[in-house]
Amino acid sequence: MKYFIYLLLAIAIGLIIYNTTHVDFDNLLIGNSKTAVISIVASACVVVLLLILITSRSIQEKKNKKR
C-alpha cells in the first residue's frame, strides 16, 4: 500500500508538470488552457490528500508503537 501511495503521488506530480506545458498564460480560461488549469487544480488536490494520508498513517504507526 505504501508504494501504491507513492506511485499515485508521482503520477499526480507528473500530471501537474505535463499540464503546465499546455497552459496559455495569456488566456487561462479559453480552450485547451482551461482544461489544463482544471487538471492542474485536480492533481494538486490529489497531492494534498495523499500527503495528508501519509501523515496520518505515520501518526497511527507512532501511536501503535506506544501501546
Side-chain angles (χ1 to χ4, degrees):
M1 184 72 175
K2 181 179 178 180
Y3 296 114
F4 182 67
I5 293 171
Y6 287 121
L7 176 68
L8 288 176
L9 191 62
I11 290 171
I13 292 171
L15 283 173
I16 290 172
I17 294 169
Y18 175 74
N19 284 317
T20 54
T21 62
H22 292 292
V23 173
D24 179 19
F25 291 103
D26 294 329
N27 300 317
L28 280 178
L29 298 176
I30 297 174
N32 289 337
S33 184
K34 180 179 180 180
T35 306
V37 169
I38 292 171
S39 299
I40 290 169
V41 171
S43 297
C45 290
V46 169
V47 168
V48 169
L49 288 173
L50 286 173
L51 291 175
I52 291 171
L53 178 64
I54 291 169
T55 304
S56 68
R57 287 176 64 106
S58 67
I59 290 171
Q60 183 180 15
E61 288 177 9
K62 289 179 184 178
K63 183 180 175 184
N64 288 337
K65 284 183 180 179
K66 284 189 175 182
R67 289 185 172 183

